[in-house]
Amino acid sequence: MTNTDSDNSREWAAQAYALLKKRQEEQKKELEKQEEQKKELENQEEQKKELENQEEQKKESIDIPNKEKIAEQSKTIVEPELGEFDDNFTWSAMVLAAQGKKINQISIDEIDWLTKLRRGLEETRKGFVTELLEKLGDDPLTPESLDDLETLLIRADVGIDSTDKVISSLRTKLNEEVVGGEAGIKFLKKELKLIIDKPIKNSGSDLLVPQKGKLNVWLLVGVNGVGKTTTLGKLAYLSSKSNYKTLIAAADTFRAAAVEQLKVWGDRSNVDVISNQSKNADPAAVVFDAINSAKKRNVDLLLVDTAGRLQTKNNLMDELAKIKKIIDKKVPDALVESLLVLDASQGQNGLKQAKSFAKSADLSGAIITKLDGTSRGGVSLAVSEEVNLPIRFIGAGEGIKDLRPFNSYEFVEAMLADK
């Protein structure tokens, strides 16, 4: 990018920032106005209760409102606020602009997510891009610099197959023309995006969304500890906010805290949870009940949490097979997705899990979690290339809104963002 391009980009981003700041101030004023009206109504109600019955009023003011307040706080979703006008904002705005967004179409929510994604991949970038740029500088690529790049890609857990493919493409290009450092990074972005996009395009669906008019059943599978139950809760929130009728089946009956954890997420997302409180209840029976409930309510999306670890791998796969058999029998026309949840920080161990589940669980996609703070974000490319799994969602934060549909352009730009 030339200095002129950089100046124009920053000016464009500054205009977007000013517009968002104005919009945020207007929203704050509106919220303050609504809060004042709410307080006024509450005061009137309290006065009315006091006149009717002083003792009842005392009970209501001390006991019930406190309970309601606690319940309300558990459902509170923290909305993002506009931060400083800095490099993160400028980069995020430019990523959105490159995808066709106009200044008045950019939202704080989108900026907040891209900033988190960029920060989340910072450790991957530090061990990869920063060192790469230091080695390349402004000099043209050489066979030696490709050797360095190969080492850096493998260290970022991009995987052997993906690395070989990228390096081979770069060597071919290098034999045809002189490639400078900036052009090399641009070419690298293109190659990495091709690797990630291939299984997504092969799936026939660029974006995984529930289809209206049919029951969509998404099974979340994966070993314990990868964030499977938390991811399901975030998916429920995303689905509900996107106006899909959503239901949760708590079929991980072998982990004591899983059901309670899901109920908390369901409460925050305003999504009901179908569960069985019996110890070691049959997961397939829970799914059976959930399907019945989903059919009665005309649910669009049924999210099923499955057990992460039983005594043996065969037991785990047998349980998944039983669940699928129930689905096929009860709703043969349902659209079923089996989504593997992977913890990015596990790197090559996560890749091994993907290969193992892919052989036995008839997977249709992957969800990459815990991208924030790991130096192994490149494992997403290994999953795409070596397991041929389309990445459907990624998580880069602890908040309920920190899970988003996967966007290969945004991911690669964040992974290779200049310092």
Side-chain angles (χ1 to χ4, degrees):
M1 183 182 287
T2 65
N3 288 336
T4 304
D5 289 338
S6 180
D7 290 343
N8 289 338
S9 296
R10 194 163 180 82
E11 183 181 343
W12 192 93
Q15 293 175 21
Y17 184 86
L19 189 62
L20 286 176
K21 194 169 185 64
K22 181 183 177 184
R23 196 182 299 164
Q24 180 178 260
E25 288 169 355
E26 290 172 350
Q27 288 173 345
K28 278 186 177 179
K29 286 179 182 177
E30 182 61 31
L31 286 173
E32 286 171 2
K33 184 180 176 181
Q34 290 175 5
E35 193 63 32
E36 286 176 7
Q37 291 174 343
K38 183 180 175 183
K39 284 180 180 178
E40 190 176 334
L41 287 171
E42 286 174 351
N43 289 334
Q44 290 174 0
E45 189 64 27
E46 283 181 12
Q47 289 172 6
K48 183 180 177 182
K49 286 179 180 178
E50 188 174 355
L51 290 171
E52 288 175 352
N53 190 316
Q54 193 170 9
E55 284 302 313
E56 188 65 22
Q57 183 274 334
K58 183 179 178 183
K59 182 183 175 183
E60 290 288 332
S61 63
I62 293 174
D63 187 18
I64 297 175
N66 281 345
K67 289 181 182 178
E68 289 176 350
K69 186 178 181 182
I70 291 168
E72 191 62 33
Q73 284 175 342
S74 72
K75 294 182 182 181
T76 300
I77 309 298
V78 179
E79 294 297 330
E81 289 197 0
L82 189 62
E84 298 294 324
F85 178 60
D86 54 14
D87 287 342
N88 277 323
F89 181 93
T90 302
W91 176 84
S92 300
M94 288 302 96
V95 168
L96 292 170
Q99 296 179 85
K101 289 272 187 178
K102 297 187 179 350
I103 285 180
N104 61 353
Q105 295 174 322
I106 290 177
S107 69
I108 295 175
D109 196 54
E110 290 171 316
I111 294 288
D112 182 67
W113 163 250
L114 286 172
T115 297
K116 284 178 180 174
L117 182 60
R118 188 186 189 209
R119 286 173 178 162
L121 286 168
E122 186 173 355
E123 291 302 317
T124 300
R125 198 163 58 247
K126 275 181 183 176
F128 176 42
V129 182
T130 306
E131 194 170 337
L132 176 62
L133 291 175
E134 285 175 357
K135 289 179 183 294
L136 290 180
D138 295 323
D139 298 328
L141 289 177
T142 64
E144 290 74 25
S145 59
L146 288 188
D147 290 340
D148 291 334
L149 173 59
E150 185 174 22
T151 301
L152 292 171
L153 284 167
I154 290 172
R155 197 192 300 165
D157 277 303
V158 168
I160 300 295
D161 292 352
S162 300
T163 299
D164 285 347
K165 183 172 281 191
V166 169
I167 297 300
S168 177
S169 296
L170 273 170
R171 286 195 201 284
T172 301
K173 188 172 180 64
L174 205 57
N175 289 333
E176 296 171 351
E177 60 184 287
V178 175
V179 182
E182 189 174 320
I185 293 289
K186 187 175 180 181
F187 185 79
L188 180 58
K189 287 180 179 180
K190 178 186 172 186
E191 290 299 310
L192 295 180
K193 190 173 180 300
L194 283 172
I195 289 172
I196 295 176
D197 279 340
K198 185 179 177 182
I200 295 174
K201 291 188 184 302
N202 288 344
S203 74
S205 176
D206 290 343
L207 187 67
L208 183 62
V209 294
Q211 288 189 28
K212 292 280 188 179
K214 280 194 173 185
L215 176 61
N216 299 260
V217 183
W218 292 2
L219 303 171
L220 265 65
V221 303
V223 302
N224 286 342
V226 295
K228 182 162 48 67
T229 302
T230 299
T231 298
L232 187 142
K234 293 177 181 179
L235 268 178
Y237 173 79
L238 186 62
S239 174
S240 179
K241 289 291 285 184
S242 301
N243 297 318
Y244 291 104
K245 289 182 181 178
T246 311
L247 191 65
I248 294 171
D252 183 359
T253 59
F254 298 94
R255 188 166 66 89
V259 176
E260 291 306 314
Q261 192 179 353
L262 267 184
K263 285 183 176 179
V264 172
W265 282 106
D267 190 47
R268 294 181 70 193
S269 308
N270 289 317
V271 174
D272 288 340
V273 178
I274 305 299
S275 64
N276 188 323
Q277 295 298 331
S278 305
K279 188 176 181 181
N280 289 341
D282 183 5
V286 174
V287 174
F288 183 92
D289 293 341
I291 290 172
N292 284 338
S293 184
K295 288 166 74 175
K296 287 177 184 176
R297 305 184 194 194
N298 291 320
V299 162
D300 297 311
L301 177 62
L302 173 62
L303 293 166
V304 181
D305 190 23
T306 65
R309 186 179 289 119
L310 300 178
Q311 280 103 346
T312 68
K313 178 187 163 189
N314 287 339
N315 279 354
L316 178 56
M317 296 309 163
D318 286 346
E319 285 298 337
L320 288 173
K322 278 175 65 178
I323 288 172
K324 286 189 175 181
K325 192 174 180 181
I326 290 290
I327 295 169
D328 290 342
K329 187 175 181 180
K330 293 284 293 178
V331 275
D333 62 338
L335 301 174
V336 183
E337 299 283 345
S338 292
L339 302 173
L340 177 66
V341 182
L342 288 174
D343 177 349
S345 67
Q346 293 185 358
Q348 290 301 300
N349 283 335
L351 181 60
K352 288 176 184 175
Q353 290 167 25
K355 288 179 177 179
S356 177
F357 272 90
K359 288 178 183 177
S360 311
D362 192 24
L363 300 175
S364 58
I367 301 175
I368 310 295
T369 68
K370 305 180 186 179
L371 273 170
D372 46 317
T374 180
S375 60
R376 296 171 169 179
V379 72
S380 305
L381 287 124
V383 168
S384 297
E385 176 64 26
E386 297 184 32
V387 195
N388 196 32
L389 270 184
I391 299 172
R392 292 308 191 182
F393 298 90
I394 54 172
E398 297 297 323
I400 196 169
K401 299 177 76 174
D402 294 336
L403 182 86
R404 297 294 175 95
F406 182 72
N407 180 310
S408 61
Y409 176 80
E410 293 175 358
F411 179 82
V412 171
E413 287 295 320
M415 186 176 171
L416 297 177
D418 294 338
K419 290 294 286 179

